[in-house]
Coordinates of all heavy atoms in Angstrom, one line a residue:
M128 N 194.6 39.8 79.7 CA 193.2 39.3 79.9 C 193.3 37.8 80.3 O 192.5 37.3 81.1 CB 192.4 39.5 78.7 CG 191.0 39.9 79.0 SD 190.0 39.9 77.5 CE 189.5 41.5 77.5
M129 N 194.2 37.1 79.7 CA 194.4 35.7 79.9 C 193.1 34.9 80.0 O 192.2 35.1 79.2 CB 195.2 35.5 81.2 CG 196.6 36.2 81.1 SD 197.7 35.5 79.9 CE 198.2 34.1 80.6
L130 N 193.0 34.0 81.0 CA 191.8 33.1 81.1 C 190.5 33.8 81.3 O 189.5 33.4 80.9 CB 192.1 32.1 82.1 CG 191.1 30.9 82.3 CD1 191.0 30.2 81.0 CD2 191.5 30.0 83.4
S131 N 190.6 34.9 82.1 CA 189.3 35.6 82.4 C 188.6 36.2 81.2 O 187.4 36.4 81.2 CB 189.6 36.8 83.4 OG 190.4 37.8 82.7
G132 N 189.4 36.4 80.1 CA 188.8 36.8 78.8 C 187.8 35.9 78.2 O 186.9 36.3 77.5
F133 N 187.9 34.6 78.5 CA 187.0 33.6 78.0 C 185.7 33.6 78.7 O 184.7 33.0 78.2 CB 187.7 32.2 78.0 CG 188.8 32.1 77.0 CD1 190.1 32.1 77.5 CD2 188.6 32.1 75.7 CE1 191.2 32.0 76.6 CE2 189.7 32.1 74.8 CZ 191.0 32.0 75.3
F134 N 185.6 34.2 79.8 CA 184.4 34.2 80.6 C 183.5 35.5 80.3 O 182.5 35.7 80.9 CB 184.6 34.1 82.1 CG 185.3 32.8 82.4 CD1 186.6 32.7 82.9 CD2 184.6 31.6 82.3 CE1 187.2 31.5 83.2 CE2 185.2 30.4 82.6 CZ 186.5 30.3 83.0
R135 N 184.0 36.4 79.5 CA 183.3 37.6 79.2 C 182.3 37.4 78.1 O 182.6 36.8 77.0 CB 184.3 38.7 78.8 CG 185.3 39.1 79.9 CD 186.2 40.1 79.4 NE 185.6 41.3 79.0 CZ 185.7 42.5 79.6 NH1 186.5 42.6 80.6 NH2 185.1 43.5 79.1
L136 N 181.1 37.9 78.2 CA 180.0 37.8 77.3 C 180.4 38.4 75.9 O 180.2 37.8 74.9 CB 178.7 38.4 77.8 CG 177.6 38.4 76.8 CD1 177.1 37.0 76.5 CD2 176.4 39.2 77.4
G137 N 181.1 39.5 75.9 CA 181.5 40.2 74.7 C 182.4 39.4 73.8 O 182.4 39.4 72.6
V138 N 183.3 38.6 74.5 CA 184.2 37.8 73.8 C 183.5 36.7 73.0 O 183.7 36.5 71.8 CB 185.3 37.1 74.7 CG1 186.1 36.1 74.0 CG2 186.1 38.2 75.3
W139 N 182.5 36.1 73.6 CA 181.7 35.0 73.0 C 180.8 35.6 71.9 O 180.7 35.0 70.8 CB 180.9 34.3 74.0 CG 181.7 33.4 74.8 CD1 182.2 33.6 76.1 CD2 182.3 32.2 74.4 NE1 183.0 32.6 76.5 CE2 183.1 31.7 75.5 CE3 182.3 31.4 73.2 CZ2 183.8 30.5 75.4 CZ3 183.0 30.2 73.1 CH2 183.7 29.8 74.2
Q140 N 180.3 36.8 72.1 CA 179.5 37.5 71.0 C 180.4 37.7 69.8 O 180.0 37.5 68.7 CB 178.9 38.8 71.5 CG 177.8 38.6 72.5 CD 177.3 39.9 73.2 OE1 178.1 40.8 73.3 NE2 176.1 39.9 73.6
N141 N 181.6 38.2 70.0 CA 182.6 38.5 68.9 C 182.9 37.2 68.2 O 183.1 37.1 67.0 CB 183.8 39.2 69.5 CG 183.5 40.6 69.9 OD1 182.6 41.2 69.4 ND2 184.4 41.1 70.8
F142 N 183.1 36.1 69.0 CA 183.5 34.8 68.4 C 182.4 34.3 67.5 O 182.6 33.9 66.3 CB 183.7 33.8 69.5 CG 183.8 32.4 69.0 CD1 185.0 31.9 68.4 CD2 182.8 31.5 69.1 CE1 185.1 30.7 67.9 CE2 182.8 30.2 68.6 CZ 184.0 29.8 68.0
F143 N 181.1 34.4 67.9 CA 180.0 33.9 67.1 C 179.8 34.8 65.9 O 179.4 34.3 64.8 CB 178.7 33.7 68.0 CG 178.8 32.5 68.9 CD1 178.8 32.7 70.2 CD2 178.9 31.3 68.3 CE1 178.8 31.6 71.1 CE2 179.0 30.1 69.2 CZ 178.9 30.3 70.5
R144 N 180.0 36.1 66.1 CA 179.9 37.0 64.9 C 180.9 36.7 63.8 O 180.5 36.6 62.7 CB 180.1 38.5 65.4 CG 179.9 39.5 64.2 CD 180.4 40.9 64.6 NE 181.9 40.8 64.7 CZ 182.6 41.3 65.7 NH1 182.0 41.9 66.7 NH2 183.9 41.2 65.7
A145 N 182.1 36.4 64.3 CA 183.2 36.0 63.3 C 182.8 34.6 62.7 O 183.0 34.4 61.5 CB 184.5 36.0 64.0
W146 N 182.4 33.7 63.5 CA 182.0 32.4 63.0 C 180.9 32.4 62.0 O 181.0 31.8 60.9 CB 181.7 31.5 64.2 CG 181.4 30.1 63.8 CD1 182.2 29.2 63.2 CD2 180.2 29.4 64.0 NE1 181.6 28.0 63.1 CE2 180.3 28.1 63.6 CE3 178.9 29.7 64.6 CZ2 179.3 27.1 63.6 CZ3 178.0 28.8 64.7 CH2 178.1 27.5 64.2
R147 N 179.8 33.2 62.3 CA 178.7 33.3 61.3 C 179.2 34.1 60.1 O 178.6 33.8 59.0 CB 177.6 34.1 62.0 CG 176.7 33.3 62.9 CD 175.5 34.0 63.3 NE 175.7 35.4 63.7 CZ 175.9 35.8 65.0 NH1 175.8 34.9 66.0 NH2 176.0 37.1 65.3
G148 N 180.1 35.0 60.2 CA 180.6 35.7 59.0 C 181.6 34.9 58.2 O 182.1 35.4 57.2
G149 N 181.9 33.7 58.6 CA 182.8 32.8 57.7 C 184.2 32.9 58.0 O 185.0 32.6 57.2
Y150 N 184.6 33.5 59.2 CA 186.1 33.6 59.5 C 186.7 32.2 59.4 O 186.2 31.2 59.9 CB 186.3 34.1 60.9 CG 187.7 34.1 61.3 CD1 188.6 35.1 60.8 CD2 188.3 33.2 62.1 CE1 189.9 35.1 61.1 CE2 189.6 33.2 62.5 CZ 190.4 34.2 62.0 OH 191.7 34.2 62.3
S151 N 187.8 32.1 58.7 CA 188.5 30.8 58.5 C 190.0 30.9 58.7 O 190.7 30.1 58.0 CB 188.1 30.2 57.1 OG 188.6 31.1 56.1
G152 N 190.4 31.8 59.5 CA 191.8 31.9 59.7 C 192.4 30.8 60.6 O 191.6 30.0 61.1
N153 N 193.7 30.7 60.8 CA 194.2 29.7 61.6 C 194.1 30.1 63.1 O 193.9 31.3 63.4 CB 195.7 29.3 61.2 CG 196.6 30.4 61.5 OD1 196.6 31.0 62.6 ND2 197.5 30.8 60.6
L154 N 194.2 29.2 64.0 CA 194.2 29.5 65.4 C 195.6 29.3 66.0 O 195.7 29.0 67.2 CB 193.1 28.7 66.1 CG 191.7 29.0 65.6 CD1 190.7 28.0 66.3 CD2 191.3 30.4 65.8
E155 N 196.6 29.4 65.2 CA 198.0 29.2 65.7 C 198.5 30.6 66.4 O 198.0 31.6 66.0 CB 198.9 28.8 64.6 CG 198.5 27.5 64.0 CD 199.4 27.1 62.8 OE1 200.4 27.8 62.6 OE2 199.0 26.2 62.1
G156 N 199.4 30.5 67.2 CA 200.0 31.7 67.8 C 199.6 31.8 69.3 O 199.0 30.9 69.9
E157 N 200.0 32.8 69.9 CA 199.8 33.0 71.4 C 198.4 33.0 71.7 O 197.9 32.4 72.6 CB 200.5 34.3 71.8 CG 200.4 34.5 73.3 CD 200.9 35.8 73.8 OE1 201.7 36.5 73.1 OE2 200.4 36.2 74.8
G158 N 197.6 33.9 71.1 CA 196.2 34.0 71.3 C 195.8 34.8 72.5 O 194.6 34.9 72.8
F159 N 196.7 35.3 73.3 CA 196.3 36.1 74.5 C 196.7 37.6 74.3 O 196.6 38.3 75.3 CB 197.0 35.6 75.7 CG 196.5 34.2 76.1 CD1 197.3 33.1 75.9 CD2 195.2 34.1 76.7 CE1 196.8 31.8 76.3 CE2 194.7 32.8 77.0 CZ 195.5 31.7 76.8
T160 N 197.2 38.0 73.2 CA 197.6 39.4 73.0 C 196.5 40.2 72.3 O 196.0 39.8 71.2 CB 198.8 39.4 72.1 OG1 199.9 38.7 72.7 CG2 199.3 40.8 71.9
L161 N 196.1 41.2 72.9 CA 195.1 42.1 72.3 C 195.8 43.1 71.3 O 196.9 43.4 71.5 CB 194.3 42.9 73.4 CG 193.5 42.1 74.4 CD1 193.0 43.0 75.5 CD2 192.4 41.3 73.7
G162 N 195.1 43.5 70.3 CA 195.7 44.3 69.3 C 195.2 45.7 69.3 O 194.5 46.2 70.2
G163 N 195.5 46.5 68.3 CA 195.0 47.8 68.2 C 195.3 48.4 66.8 O 196.0 47.8 66.0
V164 N 194.7 49.6 66.6 CA 194.9 50.3 65.3 C 195.3 51.7 65.6 O 194.6 52.4 66.4 CB 193.6 50.2 64.4 CG1 193.8 51.1 63.2 CG2 193.3 48.8 64.1
Y165 N 196.3 52.2 65.0 CA 196.7 53.6 65.1 C 196.8 54.3 63.8 O 197.3 53.7 62.8 CB 198.1 53.8 65.8 CG 198.1 53.3 67.2 CD1 198.4 52.0 67.6 CD2 197.9 54.2 68.2 CE1 198.4 51.6 68.9 CE2 197.9 53.8 69.6 CZ 198.2 52.5 69.9 OH 198.2 52.1 71.2
V166 N 196.3 55.5 63.6 CA 196.5 56.3 62.4 C 197.3 57.5 62.9 O 196.9 58.2 63.7 CB 195.1 56.8 61.8 CG1 195.4 57.6 60.6 CG2 194.3 55.6 61.4
I167 N 198.5 57.6 62.3 CA 199.4 58.6 62.7 C 199.7 59.6 61.6 O 200.0 59.2 60.5 CB 200.8 58.0 63.2 CG1 200.4 57.0 64.4 CG2 201.8 59.1 63.6 CD1 201.6 56.2 64.8
G168 N 199.5 60.9 61.9 CA 199.7 61.9 60.8 C 201.2 62.2 60.6 O 202.0 61.8 61.4
A169 N 201.4 62.9 59.5 CA 202.8 63.3 59.2 C 203.3 64.4 60.1 O 202.5 65.2 60.6 CB 202.8 63.7 57.7
G170 N 204.6 64.4 60.3 CA 205.2 65.5 61.0 C 204.7 65.6 62.4 O 204.7 64.6 63.2
K171 N 204.2 66.8 62.8 CA 203.8 67.0 64.2 C 202.3 66.8 64.4 O 201.7 67.2 65.4 CB 204.1 68.4 64.6 CG 205.6 68.6 64.7 CD 206.0 70.0 65.3 CE 207.5 70.1 65.4 NZ 207.9 71.4 66.0
Q172 N 201.6 66.2 63.4 CA 200.2 65.9 63.6 C 199.9 65.0 64.7 O 198.9 65.1 65.4 CB 199.6 65.3 62.3 CG 199.1 66.4 61.3 CD 198.3 65.8 60.2 OE1 198.9 65.1 59.4 NE2 197.0 66.0 60.2
G173 N 200.7 64.0 64.9 CA 200.6 63.1 66.0 C 199.5 62.0 65.7 O 199.2 61.7 64.5
V174 N 199.0 61.4 66.7 CA 198.0 60.3 66.6 C 196.7 60.9 66.3 O 196.1 61.7 67.0 CB 198.0 59.5 67.9 CG1 196.9 58.4 67.8 CG2 199.3 58.9 68.2
L175 N 196.1 60.5 65.1 CA 194.8 60.9 64.7 C 193.7 59.9 65.1 O 192.5 60.3 65.2 CB 194.8 61.1 63.2 CG 195.8 62.1 62.6 CD1 195.8 62.1 61.1 CD2 195.5 63.5 63.2
L176 N 194.0 58.7 65.3 CA 193.1 57.7 65.8 C 193.8 56.6 66.6 O 194.9 56.2 66.1 CB 192.3 57.0 64.6 CG 191.4 55.9 65.0 CD1 190.1 56.4 65.5 CD2 191.2 55.0 63.8
E177 N 193.2 56.3 67.7 CA 193.8 55.2 68.5 C 192.6 54.3 68.9 O 191.6 54.7 69.4 CB 194.4 55.8 69.7 CG 194.9 54.7 70.7 CD 195.5 55.3 72.0 OE1 195.5 56.5 72.1 OE2 195.8 54.5 72.9
H178 N 192.8 53.0 68.5 CA 191.8 52.0 69.0 C 192.5 50.8 69.6 O 193.4 50.2 68.9 CB 191.0 51.5 67.8 CG 190.1 50.3 68.1 ND1 188.9 50.4 68.7 CD2 190.3 49.0 67.9 CE1 188.4 49.2 68.9 NE2 189.2 48.3 68.4
R179 N 192.3 50.5 70.8 CA 192.9 49.4 71.5 C 191.8 48.4 71.8 O 190.7 48.8 72.3 CB 193.5 49.8 72.8 CG 194.7 50.8 72.6 CD 195.3 51.1 74.0 NE 196.2 52.2 73.9 CZ 196.9 52.6 74.9 NH1 196.8 52.1 76.0 NH2 197.7 53.7 74.7
E180 N 192.1 47.1 71.5 CA 191.1 46.1 71.8 C 190.9 46.0 73.4 O 191.9 46.0 74.1 CB 191.5 44.7 71.4 CG 191.3 44.4 69.9 CD 191.6 43.0 69.6 OE1 192.6 42.5 70.1 OE2 190.8 42.4 68.8
K181 N 189.6 46.0 73.8 CA 189.4 45.9 75.2 C 189.1 44.5 75.6 O 189.3 44.0 76.7 CB 188.2 46.8 75.6 CG 188.4 48.2 75.4 CD 187.2 49.1 75.8 CE 187.6 50.5 75.7 NZ 187.2 51.1 74.4
E182 N 188.7 43.7 74.6 CA 188.5 42.3 74.7 C 188.7 41.6 73.4 O 188.7 42.3 72.3 CB 187.1 41.9 75.3 CG 185.9 42.5 74.4 CD 184.6 42.3 75.1 OE1 184.6 42.2 76.4 OE2 183.6 42.4 74.4
F183 N 188.9 40.3 73.3 CA 189.2 39.6 72.1 C 188.1 39.8 71.1 O 186.9 39.7 71.4 CB 189.3 38.1 72.4 CG 190.4 37.8 73.3 CD1 190.1 37.1 74.5 CD2 191.7 38.1 73.0 CE1 191.2 36.8 75.4 CE2 192.7 37.8 73.9 CZ 192.4 37.1 75.1
G184 N 188.5 40.2 69.9 CA 187.5 40.4 68.8 C 186.9 41.7 68.7 O 186.0 42.0 67.9
D185 N 187.3 42.7 69.6 CA 186.8 44.0 69.5 C 187.4 44.7 68.2 O 188.6 44.8 68.1 CB 187.3 44.8 70.8 CG 186.7 46.1 70.9 OD1 185.8 46.5 70.3 OD2 187.3 46.9 71.7
K186 N 186.4 45.1 67.4 CA 186.9 45.6 66.1 C 186.8 47.2 66.0 O 186.0 47.8 66.7 CB 185.9 45.1 65.0 CG 186.0 43.6 64.7 CD 185.1 43.1 63.7 CE 184.4 44.0 62.8 NZ 183.5 43.3 61.8
V187 N 187.7 47.7 65.2 CA 187.7 49.2 65.0 C 186.7 49.5 63.9 O 186.4 48.7 63.0 CB 189.1 49.7 64.6 CG1 189.5 49.1 63.2 CG2 189.2 51.2 64.6
S188 N 186.1 50.7 64.0 CA 185.1 51.1 63.0 C 185.9 51.6 61.7 O 186.7 52.5 61.8 CB 184.3 52.3 63.6 OG 183.7 53.0 62.6
L189 N 185.6 50.9 60.6 CA 186.2 51.3 59.4 C 186.0 52.7 59.0 O 186.9 53.4 58.5 CB 185.8 50.3 58.3 CG 186.5 50.5 56.9 CD1 188.0 50.4 57.0 CD2 186.0 49.5 55.9
P190 N 184.8 53.2 59.1 CA 184.6 54.7 58.7 C 185.4 55.6 59.6 O 185.9 56.6 59.1 CB 183.1 54.9 59.0 CG 182.5 53.6 58.8 CD 183.5 52.6 59.4
S191 N 185.7 55.3 60.9 CA 186.5 56.2 61.7 C 188.0 56.1 61.2 O 188.7 57.1 61.3 CB 186.4 55.8 63.2 OG 186.9 54.5 63.4
V192 N 188.4 54.9 60.7 CA 189.8 54.8 60.2 C 189.9 55.6 59.0 O 190.9 56.4 58.8 CB 190.2 53.3 60.0 CG1 191.5 53.2 59.3 CG2 190.2 52.6 61.2
L193 N 189.0 55.5 58.1 CA 189.0 56.3 56.8 C 188.9 57.8 57.1 O 189.6 58.6 56.4 CB 187.9 55.8 55.9 CG 188.0 54.4 55.4 CD1 186.7 54.0 54.6 CD2 189.2 54.2 54.6
E194 N 188.1 58.2 58.0 CA 188.0 59.6 58.4 C 189.3 60.2 58.9 O 189.7 61.2 58.5 CB 186.9 59.8 59.4 CG 186.6 61.2 59.8 CD 185.6 61.3 60.9 OE1 184.6 60.5 60.8 OE2 185.7 62.2 61.7
A195 N 190.0 59.4 59.8 CA 191.2 59.8 60.3 C 192.3 59.8 59.2 O 193.1 60.8 59.2 CB 191.7 58.9 61.4
A196 N 192.3 58.9 58.3 CA 193.3 58.8 57.2 C 193.1 60.0 56.3 O 194.1 60.6 55.8 CB 193.2 57.5 56.5
E197 N 191.9 60.5 56.1 CA 191.7 61.7 55.3 C 192.2 63.0 55.9 O 192.5 63.9 55.2 CB 190.2 61.8 55.0 CG 189.7 60.8 54.0 CD 188.1 60.8 53.9 OE1 187.5 61.6 54.6 OE2 187.6 60.0 53.0
K198 N 192.4 63.0 57.2 CA 192.9 64.1 57.9 C 194.4 64.3 57.9 O 195.0 65.3 58.3 CB 192.5 64.1 59.4 CG 191.0 64.3 59.6 CD 190.7 64.2 61.1 CE 189.2 64.3 61.3 NZ 188.8 64.2 62.7
I199 N 195.1 63.3 57.3 CA 196.6 63.3 57.3 C 196.9 64.3 56.2 O 196.5 64.3 55.1 CB 197.2 61.9 56.9 CG1 196.8 60.9 58.0 CG2 198.7 62.0 56.6 CD1 197.3 59.5 57.6
K200 N 197.8 65.3 56.7 CA 198.2 66.4 55.8 C 199.6 66.0 55.3 O 200.5 65.6 56.1 CB 198.2 67.7 56.5 CG 196.9 68.1 57.0 CD 196.9 69.4 57.8 CE 195.6 69.7 58.3 NZ 195.6 70.7 59.4
P201 N 199.9 66.1 54.0 CA 201.3 65.8 53.5 C 202.3 66.8 54.2 O 202.0 67.9 54.4 CB 201.2 66.1 52.0 CG 199.8 66.3 51.7 CD 199.0 66.6 53.0
Q202 N 203.4 66.2 54.5 CA 204.5 67.0 55.1 C 205.3 67.7 54.0 O 205.6 67.1 53.0 CB 205.4 66.1 55.9 CG 206.4 66.8 56.7 CD 207.2 65.8 57.6 OE1 206.9 64.7 57.7 NE2 208.2 66.4 58.3
A203 N 205.5 69.0 54.2 CA 206.3 69.8 53.3 C 207.7 69.3 53.3 O 208.3 69.1 54.3 CB 206.2 71.3 53.6
S204 N 208.3 69.2 52.1 CA 209.7 68.7 52.0 C 210.7 69.8 51.9 O 210.5 70.9 51.7 CB 209.9 67.7 50.9 OG 209.3 68.2 49.7

């Protein structure tokens, strides 16, 4: 995303949401890498949830993570 990410409305909305919410983390590091969340089941279950950031500050839905985690079936030993 590099520099063009700073010109997107959603990025600024996410920034102000975090600022109003009291985010106080450091701003050290690269800062240009988007993240993601994966919930992977045991054995051959595979990926149960995949969330990739589309822009800076794009958050995953906590209820969807919990729902996916509840679907993980223990692997028989």
Side-chain angles (χ1 to χ4, degrees):
M128 221 189 237
M129 301 297 283
L130 186 59
S131 67
F133 292 108
F134 297 113
R135 296 177 61 115
L136 176 62
V138 171
W139 287 103
Q140 289 172 332
N141 291 336
F142 169 77
F143 286 117
R144 182 192 69 228
W146 183 61
R147 282 191 311 267
Y150 175 78
S151 62
N153 69 48
L154 298 176
E155 297 176 12
E157 181 190 338
F159 292 107
T160 303
L161 296 174
V164 174
Y165 292 89
V166 177
I167 302 172
K171 295 186 178 184
Q172 270 191 291
V174 177
L175 301 174
L176 174 77
E177 173 184 357
H178 171 81
R179 297 182 194 184
E180 277 187 319
K181 295 181 178 93
E182 57 190 20
F183 300 118
D185 187 15
K186 293 178 10 178
V187 66
S188 162
L189 183 58
S191 64
V192 173
L193 294 174
E194 182 182 326
E197 288 173 354
K198 292 180 183 177
I199 297 175
K200 297 176 186 163
Q202 187 173 358
S204 46

